[in-house]
Amino acid sequence: MEQLSLGLTNKQEGDHLFEEVYALRRLELAFVKVKANGGSAGSDGISVEDFEENLSDNLAKLQAELQSRSYQPQPVRRVSIPKPNGGERHLGIANVRDRVVQQSILMAMEPFFEPEFSESSYGFRRGRSQRGAIEAAQKHVADGKEWVVDLDLEKFFDTVNHDRALHLIREKISDRRLLKVIALTLRSGVMIDGKVEKSTIGLPQGSPLSPLLSNIVLDRLDKELEHRGLEFVRYADDANIFVGSQKAAERVLASVTRYIETKLKLRVNRDKTQTAKSKAVKFLGMTVLAGGMAAISLGAMKKAKEQVKELIPRSGKRSLETQVEKVNQWYMGWSGYYQMTNYPNQLQKIEANIRMRFRLQFIKNHKRKKHLVRKLRKQGIRSSTAYRAVYEKNLGRWRLAHNFSVNMAWSKSWFRQQGLNTRSETGQDHWQALKKGPRLV
C-alpha cells in the first residue's frame, strides 16, 4: 500500500495524526482502495460509481468537514447473509463517503499497531494469509502438539465493547480529534428497514476499519497466550491452541475461557468450542492430520459438491460453453485456495464430480435412448458397446453417468478440449505417493 509522507513518522506520539487522515492525497488514495474493494451503496443509496462522478468535489467536501470537525458518519445499512452452518451473519454497509474516511483512518493508524501484533496472528494483515495460518498449524502438529483447543468466540463482531476498543486505541493514538471520529463511526447506528437503531456495541462487518479494530481488541488475547508460553494460531476470531495432551487441552480451555470472559468481556461459544485431536478439527476449511499433513475438511468437500450440483443442474438449458465458463470461474477460485492440501486426490475428486455432473446432464438431455446411442457413436463409441450400455444393462441415469462407455465418450481430454480447467495435471509423483488420501474423523 502506498504510504503518504507529510513530514510525520511512525515514531510520533500520534497527537497530530488527524492531519494525515484529512490530507487530500490521503483521501484520494483511500478512495482508490474503496473502489478496488467494490461493494454496494450504503444507506444513502450512492454507489462508488456515483461518488466518483464528482470525485474532486466529494473529496474536497469530506476534507472540509473533517478539518472543521463537522463530519458526521451516517448509519450503516444492515445486510444479512446466511452462514454456512446455519443462522445469519449481519453486515454493515457504510456509505461510500464514510468508507473513504474509514479507509483513510486505517492507513494512518495501521503503522502504529501492526509492528506490535503477534506473529501468531494471520487475519486481516498485509503479507499474511489463511495459507500462512494453515502452515503454522501444520508446524505445531508436526512438532507433536496434536491436541487442539478450538476456540469459538460467540458473535465476536457483534459484541465488541466500544469503550474498551477506544481505550486500547488511546494507548497508542493520542489525537483526540481522531479518537472522536472513530467513536462517532462506531456509534453511527444501523439502518434496518428504513429505521435507524442505535449501536452501543459491536463492529460492523463490511466496514474498512473493523478488521484493524478487531485485531487491536484480540491482540490482548494473543499477548496473554504468548505470556503463558502457548503455541497458537489466530485468524480473525478463529483461534486454535496446540498442546501435547488431552489433559493439557482441557486445562488450557478452562483457564483461557475464564480470561476471555472476565478480562476481555467477550463470550466463548461453549457449543462450538472444543478440545480434540487435530484430525477432528476444521480450521479455515482445512484439517491438519497427524504429522502435520493438511487435508481439505469433510465439510468443505461436501460444500464444494453442493456448489457443483448448483452450477451444473441435470436439466441444464444454458450452452456448454456458458456453463464451462461459470464452472471455471468458481473452480479456479476454490481450488486456488484448497490446493494447499497435501492430498491432491481431493481436487481430483471434485474435478471428477464436475465431469460426472456434465455427463448426467448430457444423458438427461437425450430423453430417448436411441438418441443417446447415436450421440455416443458420434463421440467415438462402437455401436454395439453404446447399445449394450444404454439398452441391455438398463442402467438408471446416475449409474449410466458412471458407465465406462459414457466416461470414454466424454473423457477428461474431451472436457479439456471444451475449455474445462483442472489443477490435477501437475505434481504426479507426489500425488501417486498420496493417492489413497486422508482419513478424516
Side-chain angles (χ1 to χ4, degrees), residues 50 59 75 247 355:
D50 295 334
L59 293 183
K247 187 176 180 179
R355 293 190 295 271

Coordinates of all heavy atoms in Angstrom, one line a residue, residues 50 59 75 247 355:
D50 N -21.3 6.5 -8.5 CA -22.0 7.8 -8.3 C -21.0 8.8 -7.6 O -20.9 9.9 -8.0 CB -23.2 7.7 -7.5 CG -24.3 6.8 -8.2 OD1 -24.3 6.8 -9.4 OD2 -25.1 6.2 -7.5
L59 N -14.5 14.7 -2.4 CA -13.3 14.6 -1.5 C -13.0 15.9 -0.9 O -12.6 16.0 0.3 CB -12.1 14.1 -2.3 CG -12.2 12.6 -2.8 CD1 -10.9 12.2 -3.5 CD2 -12.5 11.7 -1.7
P75 N -25.6 6.2 9.5 CA -25.8 4.8 9.9 C -25.5 3.9 8.7 O -25.6 4.2 7.5 CB -27.3 4.8 10.1 CG -27.7 6.2 10.4 CD -26.8 7.0 9.6
K247 N -5.3 -33.8 28.6 CA -5.4 -33.2 29.9 C -5.0 -31.7 29.8 O -5.6 -30.8 30.4 CB -4.5 -33.9 30.9 CG -4.7 -33.5 32.3 CD -3.9 -34.3 33.3 CE -4.0 -33.8 34.7 NZ -3.2 -34.7 35.7
R355 N -17.1 -33.5 -14.0 CA -17.3 -34.2 -15.3 C -18.6 -35.1 -15.2 O -19.3 -35.2 -16.1 CB -16.1 -35.0 -15.6 CG -14.8 -34.2 -15.9 CD -13.7 -35.0 -16.5 NE -13.2 -36.0 -15.5 CZ -12.2 -35.7 -14.7 NH1 -11.6 -34.5 -14.6 NH2 -11.8 -36.7 -13.8

